[in-house]
Amino acid sequence: MMNTPRPTSPTRRAQLLAAGAATVTVVLWASAFVSIRSAGAAYAPGALALGRLLTGAVALGAVCLVRREGWPPRAAWRGIAISGLLWFGFYMVVLNWGEQQVDAGTAALVVNTGPILIALLGSRLLGDAMPPRLLAGMAVSFAGAVAVGLSMSGDGGSSVLGVVLCLLAAVGYAAGVVAQKPALGRASALQVTTFGCMAGAVVCLPFAGQLVQDAAEAPVSATLNMLYLGLFPTALAFTTWAYALARTTASRMGATTYAVPALVVLMSWLFLDEVPGLLTLAGGALCLAGVAVSRSRPRVGTGSSIAGSGNGKAAAPVRTPEPQPEPEPEQA
């Protein structure tokens, strides 16, 4: 009896590339918290956001010119503009501001409501499926984020304003991700990231005067951290995020970011000599375990099929197709 070859779409290589892109994103976004702590002491929230976005926009624009990417299709502009306004612009400013009002633990806890909002908005607006494994993994990860937040919270370090700002940051982040997803079906990940970053920079232009003033007085280390934020957690990480998001659902990608608190704990330990307590370590482990659960897929029997697009629609009955020419491999 001859073995029937398994379907090659999506290819194993494409799945590995998407997983690798998501990993790069969460590692770099985790490192951003360490850099923001340094740069935020010398730069005002709006100035830091503008400097970061300008750096990222210049780097991404240069790559687009070299690759001759061109302008995104007209149908993608709405999603690009909304994500640029809410995620690249609004989110970065209010998050920088919020972290000046509350301690790091409270900020991490409140901002980590973002993946839950992404799942709810993705289900409502994009028709994303909400499988039990995804919901269970998000519940476990959120419990871990709560543990990390409580363990890192300082006495009296929070304010109502700071909590509200971090909550607004989470809302802007979630709405920006959901708006970005349809645009990725019409334009490349590099185009969506580049023009979204440029749109965010335009939104932050009113802070240009503050940026010039802060840059003149800031130490070199703070400015280098701002440039790092623009080149890596923004230009590179947002591009790898868009690449991975184009190949999965918004809900599943949002759940992946629950790995960020665990990595922040590890990086603070390595680079800032902040030794984590047992509750912090346990919370970080829960975050990673939840991500593993949410990213896992149930085993599928031979008599059933799954819809890989995550659009929430029921799969059609399996039919034996007539012999077809072998398709060309899907581009990763």
Side-chain angles (χ1 to χ4, degrees):
M1 182 175 179
M2 297 180 61
N3 292 329
T4 303
R6 294 184 176 182
T8 58
S9 180
T11 63
R12 180 63 175 169
R13 178 173 177 269
Q15 293 176 346
L16 291 175
L17 286 174
T23 301
V24 170
T25 296
V26 296
V27 170
L28 291 178
W29 281 356
S31 73
F33 283 89
V34 179
S35 292
I36 288 173
R37 185 173 301 182
S38 174
Y43 286 89
L48 178 58
L50 177 59
R52 175 180 178 177
L53 289 168
L54 287 176
T55 303
V58 170
L60 289 167
V63 174
C64 279
L65 289 176
V66 171
R67 291 176 56 88
R68 298 181 180 179
E69 284 284 323
W71 294 87
R74 181 179 299 178
W77 272 106
R78 180 182 178 184
I80 291 174
I82 294 176
S83 65
L85 170 65
L86 295 179
W87 194 9
F88 287 86
F90 178 78
Y91 166 80
M92 289 190 183
V93 174
V94 296
L95 179 61
N96 292 343
W97 188 8
E99 287 192 356
Q100 292 183 354
Q101 305 293 320
V102 300
D103 53 77
T106 302
L109 174 58
V110 177
V111 172
N112 269 295
T113 60
I116 298 176
L117 297 175
I118 290 174
L120 294 175
L121 290 173
S123 176
R124 183 73 177 88
L125 301 177
L126 302 177
D128 284 355
M130 297 286 283
R133 285 174 180 254
L134 176 60
L135 295 175
M138 292 181 69
V140 172
S141 289
F142 186 71
V146 170
V148 171
L150 293 176
S151 67
M152 295 175 64
S153 296
D155 296 332
S158 301
S159 71
V160 174
L161 174 61
V163 172
V164 171
L165 288 170
C166 289
L167 183 59
L168 289 174
V171 173
Y173 156 49
V177 170
V178 173
Q180 188 186 63
K181 174 64 176 177
L184 289 167
R186 301 173 174 89
S188 70
L190 182 57
Q191 287 175 323
V192 171
T193 305
T194 300
F195 289 92
C197 186
M198 290 178 178
V202 171
V203 171
C204 293
L205 281 179
F207 302 107
Q210 184 69 54
L211 174 60
V212 173
Q213 179 180 342
D214 289 350
E217 302 173 356
V220 174
S221 60
T223 301
L224 290 177
N225 272 288
M226 181 181 68
L227 295 175
Y228 169 82
L229 287 168
L231 291 174
F232 295 97
T234 302
L236 179 56
F238 273 80
T239 302
T240 52
W241 163 277
Y243 178 89
L245 179 60
R247 288 155 177 81
T248 186
T249 65
S251 302
R252 194 174 295 275
M253 276 301 294
T256 303
T257 62
Y258 271 122
V260 170
L263 294 174
V264 170
V265 170
L266 177 60
M267 292 179 181
S268 297
W269 188 0
L270 293 176
F271 300 112
L272 301 177
D273 293 327
E274 296 179 354
V275 180
L278 292 178
L279 181 59
T280 306
L281 291 174
L286 280 176
C287 289
L288 294 177
V291 171
V293 171
S294 66
R295 297 287 297 184
S296 65
R297 296 181 182 273
R299 293 184 178 274
V300 181
T302 57
S304 63
S305 63
I306 59 174
S309 61
N311 58 10
K313 297 180 181 178
V318 178
R319 298 171 59 185
T320 303
E322 297 180 0
Q324 298 287 338
E326 184 176 353
E328 296 181 0
E330 180 181 332
Q331 292 186 355

